[in-house]
Amino acid sequence: MQFNQEMKKSINLKKLSKDPSCLSDYDPNAMDFEKAQLYLEQFLTPVTAVEKLPIQDALGRVIAKDIKSSINVPNYDNSAMDGYAIGLNQNQLTFKVIGSIFAGSTTLQKIKPGQAMQIMTGGRIPKGCDAVIPIELLNEHDGLITIDELPKKYANIRNIGEDVKKGEVILKQGHFIRPAEVGLLASLGLAHINVFKKLTVVFFSSGDEVISVGMPIKIGQVYDSNRYSIRAMLSRLNVDFIDFKNVIDDKTVIKKTLLKAASKADLIITSGGVSVGKADYMKEVLAEIGEVLFWKLSIKPGRPLAYGKIKQAHYFGLPGNPVSAMVTFYQIVQPAIKKIMGQTNYHLPPCFQAKCSTSIKKRPGRMEFQRGVLIKKNDEWIVNPTPHQGSGILSSMTQANCFIVLNKNDSFVEKGSTVNVQIMDGII
Ligand code: AMP
Ligand code: MG
């Protein structure tokens, strides 16, 4: 499915929330994974606020303005090897050594045909030099050097601007900053750069049965694991976050908390209360104070998943089940956060095929993200689904190192057949 201009015009969250039938094929209560991604694309507006940072503090941030280099890198022709710079003289293989050049010397030396100068890696190439001969490939004797064969023209010479050309846009707006980018920025001599401001994310849990760690637990209660896993997942994303703790299943309190969150946050993440139970109030409250794009996705785990807006803040309502909360965070919320952070072209790690060690029961209808353990056996990648796949089995997430991604229309998977796996390492 593609959004044509006409559809784009009609995609307005307010309108969609009030009248879901205004767009054919749109069902907020049963949306495909791919369709949810497409819709989100339309609504996730990237931040615009910019700040200037020293490059050493810019790791994990996003470039806010194209970066043009004001210099060539390297800014002089230089030697790629320790050896001798030579001036070719027809087919002659012996050269007279007339001096040496160290890295760091800024003087431009000169050699004539038939002459050589010893040169260190990074040393400035003398005028008249045709190639650099590595020390290992020559003989030194009586102030002369001899080589066995003629080198290729300009062998072992690194040219001015071969890495970055003066005036070139070397990093574009929306580029995510990894260690390599920090190094590249330093190679341009830049001490500071403009990056997008950090997002502020408010998150909280909801549920009367949910209690904080450190408290004694009564039968019928659960410790609040989601708030900690969500916090930990956010920590990896370089955002500022505020923990609003756990909120009881009370409509008024939920409403007050969401409004307070919206006044502070670019993004609000909640867990629990988006399902169809009697005490699941998120839906009612959202209908009053915000607009919602979808409530349910056709995925497993994680069917109850809401996205909408409360005032200017984006809102994700994750399911309460701990595995569902993590899976939906990684598969939907994390790419969304990347987009809002201003990063362009973020993709989850691609899937690759592995042999499944057991059969998997699946009914067509929902895309599934099962937890698996990927191992290499005799040059072949084998995936073992973790024994318990329930959406409450958080230990399946700690055992797993990959998701087994089963398509919506897939049915029973035979033992020994190939399945798509997505390694977790690239995600978390
Ligand atoms: P809900 O989505 O509110 O219907 O909750 C679904 C299941 O997830 C219930 O069994 C809850 O007890 C559990 N649950 C909800 N919130 C949390 C949480 N913060 N930490 C751990 N489990 C939770
Ligand atoms: Mg609940």
Side-chain angles (χ1 to χ4, degrees):
M1 186 179 107
Q2 288 288 324
F3 283 103
N4 57 33
Q5 279 316 104
E6 203 45 47
M7 285 163 95
K8 271 191 179 164
K9 252 191 255 160
S10 60
I11 297 176
N12 167 315
L13 204 49
K14 258 199 182 105
K15 215 165 122 191
L16 269 180
S17 311
K18 287 209 176 79
D19 178 19
S21 63
C22 75
L23 206 60
S24 64
D25 222 20
Y26 165 69
D27 182 355
N29 286 312
M31 197 177 282
D32 284 354
F33 183 68
E34 287 83 12
K35 203 184 275 182
Q37 287 174 317
L38 267 174
Y39 272 108
L40 280 172
E41 277 281 302
Q42 311 300 315
F43 294 111
L44 300 171
T45 38
V47 281
T48 50
V50 171
E51 66 181 319
K52 202 170 191 166
L53 282 187
I55 58 167
Q56 61 269 32
D57 298 333
L59 185 69
R61 304 292 285 271
V62 178
I63 302 270
K65 282 191 191 140
D66 287 1
I67 291 179
K68 228 183 212 182
S69 178
S70 61
I71 59 166
N72 283 305
V73 183
N75 75 355
Y76 61 109
D77 292 340
N78 67 87
S79 176
M81 303 290 255
D82 290 326
Y84 282 83
I86 57 165
L88 291 173
N89 191 9
Q90 286 158 1
N91 293 336
Q92 190 185 303
L93 294 175
T94 299
F95 302 83
K96 186 172 190 301
V97 179
I98 61 159
S100 49
I101 303 165
F102 285 84
S105 162
T106 53
T107 324
L108 180 60
Q109 305 278 5
K110 198 175 165 190
I111 53 173
K112 292 192 182 125
Q115 292 184 333
M117 280 184 102
Q118 191 176 18
I119 192 163
M120 316 306 149
T121 305
R124 188 168 180 190
I125 297 293
K127 223 174 151 187
C129 166
D130 294 301
V132 170
I133 312 295
I135 197 98
E136 299 82 2
L137 299 183
L138 52 82
N139 284 310
E140 297 164 280
H141 53 95
D142 311 320
L144 299 171
I145 58 160
T146 304
I147 55 179
D148 295 336
E149 54 180 336
L150 286 174
K152 278 202 186 121
K153 190 92 172 152
Y154 305 127
N156 303 308
I157 295 175
R158 299 191 286 218
N159 295 317
I160 181 168
E162 75 174 21
D163 187 0
V164 180
K165 289 200 173 41
K166 185 174 172 174
E168 182 185 353
V169 172
I170 192 68
L171 292 171
K172 290 214 169 92
Q173 184 195 66
H175 193 107
F176 182 69
I177 303 172
R178 301 165 300 172
E181 280 73 12
V182 177
L184 184 68
L185 291 163
S187 79
L188 306 179
L190 290 173
H192 295 85
I193 52 156
N194 288 306
V195 296
F196 286 119
K197 275 227 161 106
K198 274 192 180 182
L199 300 184
T200 302
V201 181
V202 169
F203 63 98
F204 62 92
S205 305
S206 77
D208 287 344
E209 78 283 27
V210 176
I211 61 157
S212 287
V213 298
M215 306 282 284
I217 193 165
K218 295 193 183 112
I219 304 288
Q221 296 180 320
V222 289
Y223 280 122
D224 187 354
S225 62
N226 289 346
R227 201 149 51 82
Y228 288 86
S229 54
I230 289 169
R231 186 191 177 103
M233 292 185 286
L234 287 171
S235 303
R236 291 275 171 95
L237 294 179
N238 230 333
V239 294
D240 287 327
F241 46 74
I242 312 171
D243 181 350
F244 271 18
K245 309 278 186 308
N246 181 53
V247 174
I248 53 166
D249 289 320
D250 178 289
K251 223 180 121 178
T252 319
V253 180
I254 289 174
K255 183 170 162 182
K256 231 172 97 184
T257 313
L258 281 173
L259 284 170
K260 189 172 153 207
S263 72
K264 294 182 185 296
D266 300 298
L267 175 69
I268 304 164
I269 300 175
T270 63
S271 87
V274 280
S275 215
V276 289
K278 276 260 179 322
D280 293 327
Y281 294 120
M282 290 293 171
K283 200 167 175 173
E284 275 176 57
V285 175
L286 255 285
E288 274 180 42
I289 62 169
E291 296 123 23
V292 169
L293 175 65
F294 53 75
W295 290 110
K296 282 188 195 165
L297 292 194
S298 308
I299 61 170
K300 187 181 173 183
R303 178 160 30 197
L305 171 71
Y307 166 77
K309 284 193 94 168
I310 304 172
K311 307 212 182 301
Q312 88 307 328
H314 298 277
Y315 168 78
F316 278 101
L318 308 189
N321 279 310
V323 178
S324 312
M326 290 197 78
V327 168
T328 49
F329 186 99
Y330 284 137
Q331 299 294 337
I332 299 276
V333 182
Q334 181 160 305
I337 290 180
K338 294 281 195 178
K339 174 108 200 271
I340 306 170
M341 280 169 81
Q343 185 175 344
T344 44
N345 295 325
Y346 171 78
H347 295 287
L348 284 164
C351 288
F352 70 94
Q353 296 205 313
K355 195 172 175 177
C356 196
S357 66
T358 64
S359 60
I360 300 178
K361 275 194 200 137
K362 181 186 182 296
R363 260 184 290 165
R366 280 203 273 168
M367 188 172 179
E368 290 196 18
F369 297 92
Q370 298 218 353
R371 276 73 63 215
V373 184
L374 191 65
I375 51 161
K376 200 168 185 186
K377 228 183 197 171
N378 308 329
D379 277 349
E380 192 180 28
W381 287 104
I382 312 273
V383 64
N384 301 302
T386 58
H388 300 289
Q389 292 287 337
S391 57
I393 311 292
L394 193 51
S395 55
S396 71
M397 283 295 288
T398 62
Q399 289 154 11
N401 61 4
C402 72
F403 288 117
I404 302 170
V405 183
L406 303 172
N407 290 324
K408 184 179 170 184
N409 297 326
D410 289 347
S411 52
F412 188 82
V413 174
E414 302 274 359
K415 178 180 172 173
S417 53
T418 41
V419 286
N420 281 324
V421 296
Q422 184 184 47
I423 46 170
M424 284 179 175
D425 260 358
I427 308 177
I428 59 181

